[in-house]
């Protein structure tokens, strides 16, 4: 439980005070309050200490506790500057009465915390918890998962509902935190500022985004599991807003963990289960049928997977959500998630494939955003989802060596086969031994019989086509082919021998394998 000094000051509406943050701006959490003794052996980090100005004036500020409240009177003001977190309470003539008042505030927060925990235990749901918290914060907020999909938001009555509706309509699209093209880079900058923070971060509004707000990462064991954001629509943010937001974040994290990353939310189920299939965490017929059920559509009889990745590894997940939103507008009949820093579509085959054409808006848009796409083969069984996804990754991996933007696995199927052969241990031993004979002959005679053989293979054994490519007479080609058989000691009419030679030459010549 994170009760902090500014949360107490938030409740001291009838008492004048002055607040001095610590030099590092860190706020310490505590659970109880004690009077500072004249002789203090050791300070406890989970205790807030209360002292008179007279006592603090006689102690070196470097020896003060991390968090302290000074009870100041007109006769004895505080004359020393603090280095740690400090609140000076004005006109505090009765320090014991002040202590009792502060203890009552701490008790109220403890009661509130326990009540929130009870809501988690009683499975009242994230939306109900958020509505309860909204009344204490005084402003509405929403919670998003680590992919910036909004999973719950304030839905209780508000004094200024129009402002909250404006934020929802303009800041959430297709269930994700979004923004317009004009303010996209502004929002991207804000996300960068919160990326590695474990405390609330305040953002002032501007002409494009008029409402000030406070965002905070939700973390468990140093792993980001979500984001919560409160907006200044109902009342102005106060001195305790950040601390109170942090206080509530613990409850939200508990609720998220209890529900295994919000599996109760219908919008998350598809992404969660789709991700499960892609990672291979389950493969049973029962789990697969759940995927189809949660899609809330007839599973396509024929489908393919489309994976979009950035040419740059610097793109963060928020930017991917913005790009995803735009892609959905261009691609119909799709189910889409963000998975492993990529945008993955399960696409019905009846989807109009005009986006693959060189002049298509989709292709131009990918080039403009420095994105590339991998397309799997067509499948008819939902059990092939994972296989199709890995085909898209293969296509991108192999296609990035070219200057294209959209890579179909079909065009790289043979290269994939060669790469798998090349990754085998001692793959050189699989090469047909006769290939070395023709290499040695060419080296000794300064001839090009191997190139003649390779051209003959690529021409589908057509002597006419081979002779045309090599610019030789057909009788000269026949002589070369006869010489090849003689040197290698094989027959080119033997099916298995010819196939073995083809694979051997491709394994050696294919540019993908030259780095192996």
């Amino acid at each position: 439980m994170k009760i902090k000094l500014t949360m107490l000051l938030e409740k001291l509406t009838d008492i004048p005070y002055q607040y001095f943050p610590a030099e590092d701006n860190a706020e310490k959490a505590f659970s109880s309050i004690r009077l500072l003794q004249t002789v203090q052996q050791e300070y406890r980090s989970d205790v807030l200490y209360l002292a008179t100005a007279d006592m603090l004036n006689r102690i070196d500020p470097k020896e003060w506790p991390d968090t302290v409240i000074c009870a100041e009177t007109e006769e004895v003001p505080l004359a020393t500057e603090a280095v740690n977190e400090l609140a000076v309470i004005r006109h505090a003539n009765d320090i014991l009465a002040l202590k009792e008042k502060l203890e009552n505030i701490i008790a109220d927060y403890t009661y509130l915390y326990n009540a929130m925990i009870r809501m988690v235990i009683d499975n009242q749901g994230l939306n109900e918890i958020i509505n309860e918290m909204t009344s204490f914060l005084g402003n509405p907020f929403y919670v998003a998962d680590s992919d910036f999909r909004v999973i719950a938001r304030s839905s209780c009555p508000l004094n200024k509902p129009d402002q909250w509706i404006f934020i929802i309509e303009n800041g959430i699209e297709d269930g994700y935190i979004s923004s317009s093209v004009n303010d996209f880079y502004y929002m991207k900058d804000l996300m960068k500022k919160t990326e590695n923070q474990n405390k609330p971060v305040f953002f002032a509004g501007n002409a494009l985004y008029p409402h000030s707000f406070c965002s905070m990462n939700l973390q468990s064991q140093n792993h980001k599991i979500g984001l919560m954001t409160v907006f200044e629509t109902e009342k102005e943010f106060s001195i305790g807003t950040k601390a109170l937001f942090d206080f509530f974040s613990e409850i939200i994290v508990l609720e998220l963990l209890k529900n295994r990353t919000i599996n109760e939310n219908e919008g998350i189920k598809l992404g969660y289960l789709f991700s499960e299939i892609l990672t291979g965490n389950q493969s049973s017929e029962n789990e697969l049928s759940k995927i189809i059920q949660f899609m809330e559509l007839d599973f396509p009889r024929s489908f393919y997977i489309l994976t979009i990745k950035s040419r740059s590894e610097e793109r963060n997940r928020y930017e991917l959500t913005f790009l995803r939103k735009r892609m959905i507008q261009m691609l119909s009949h799709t189910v889409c998630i963000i998975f492993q820093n990529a945008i993955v579509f399960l696409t019905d085959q009846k989807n109009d494939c005009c986006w693959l054409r060189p002049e298509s808006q989709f292709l131009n848009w990918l080039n403009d955003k420095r994105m590339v796409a991998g397309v799997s083969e067509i499948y008819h069984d939902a059990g092939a989802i994972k296989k199709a996804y890995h085909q898209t990754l293969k296509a991108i991996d192999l296609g990035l060596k070219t200057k294209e933007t959209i890579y179909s696995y079909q065009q790289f199927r043979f290269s994939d086969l060669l790469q798998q052969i090349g990754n085998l241990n001692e793959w050189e031993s699989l090469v047909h031994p006769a290939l070395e004979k023709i290499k040695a002959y060419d080296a000794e005679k300064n001839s090009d019989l191997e190139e003649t053989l390779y051209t003959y293979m690529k021409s589908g054994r057509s002597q006419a086509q081979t002779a045309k490519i090599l610019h030789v007479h057909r009788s000269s080609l026949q002589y070369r082919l006869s010489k090849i058989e003689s040197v290698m000691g094989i027959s080119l009419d033997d099916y298995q021998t010819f196939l073995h030679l083809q694979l051997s030459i491709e394994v050696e010549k294919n540019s993908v394998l030259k780095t192996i």
Side-chain angles (χ1 to χ4, degrees), residues 398 414-416 418-419 454 504-515:
L398 297 171
F414 188 63
S415 295
D416 185 21
L418 294 177
Q419 190 177 61
Y454 188 48
S504 299
I505 291 178
E506 288 291 354
V507 164
E508 289 196 338
K509 285 185 173 292
N510 193 283
S511 60
V512 175
L513 299 179
K514 286 185 178 180
T515 57

Side-chain angles (χ1 to χ4, degrees), residues 29-98:
F30 53 85
S31 56
S32 62
I33 185 170
R34 290 183 182 180
L35 293 174
L36 186 66
Q37 304 298 319
T38 54
V39 179
Q40 191 77 37
Q41 296 296 324
E42 183 178 355
Y43 298 123
R44 289 180 51 178
S45 59
D46 62 339
V47 172
L48 170 65
Y49 289 91
L50 176 61
T52 64
D54 180 59
M55 179 183 295
L56 290 178
N57 286 334
R58 289 184 278 113
I59 303 175
D60 186 339
K62 295 181 180 179
E63 303 297 326
W64 290 3
D66 290 337
T67 309
V68 61
I69 291 180
C70 172
E72 184 183 73
T73 64
E74 292 184 359
E75 294 78 14
V76 185
L78 183 64
T80 307
E81 293 186 1
V83 294
N84 296 333
E85 188 179 17
L86 168 71
V88 179
I89 308 298
R90 308 295 185 192
H91 316 305
N93 296 307
D94 189 341
I95 191 171
L96 293 179
L98 176 61

Side-chain angles (χ1 to χ4, degrees), residues 263 268-296 299 346 381-385:
N263 199 30
I268 296 303
K269 285 181 179 178
L270 171 59
Y272 174 74
L273 291 173
F274 193 10
S275 298
E276 285 289 293
I277 280 186
L278 296 184
T279 53
N281 290 342
Q282 100 291 312
S283 58
S284 69
E285 294 282 337
N286 184 44
E287 290 297 331
L288 206 53
S289 65
K290 287 181 180 179
I291 277 281
I292 298 172
Q293 178 184 351
F294 289 134
M295 284 180 181
E296 295 182 352
F299 192 83
L346 190 153
D381 179 11
I385 289 177

Side-chain angles (χ1 to χ4, degrees), residues 98-117:
L98 176 61
K99 179 175 179 291
E100 183 179 0
K101 185 177 185 68
L102 295 174
E103 287 175 334
N104 289 336
I105 296 174
I106 292 174
D108 289 341
Y109 279 121
T110 301
Y111 177 82
L112 172 61
Y113 184 86
N114 292 333
M116 294 290 101
I117 291 292

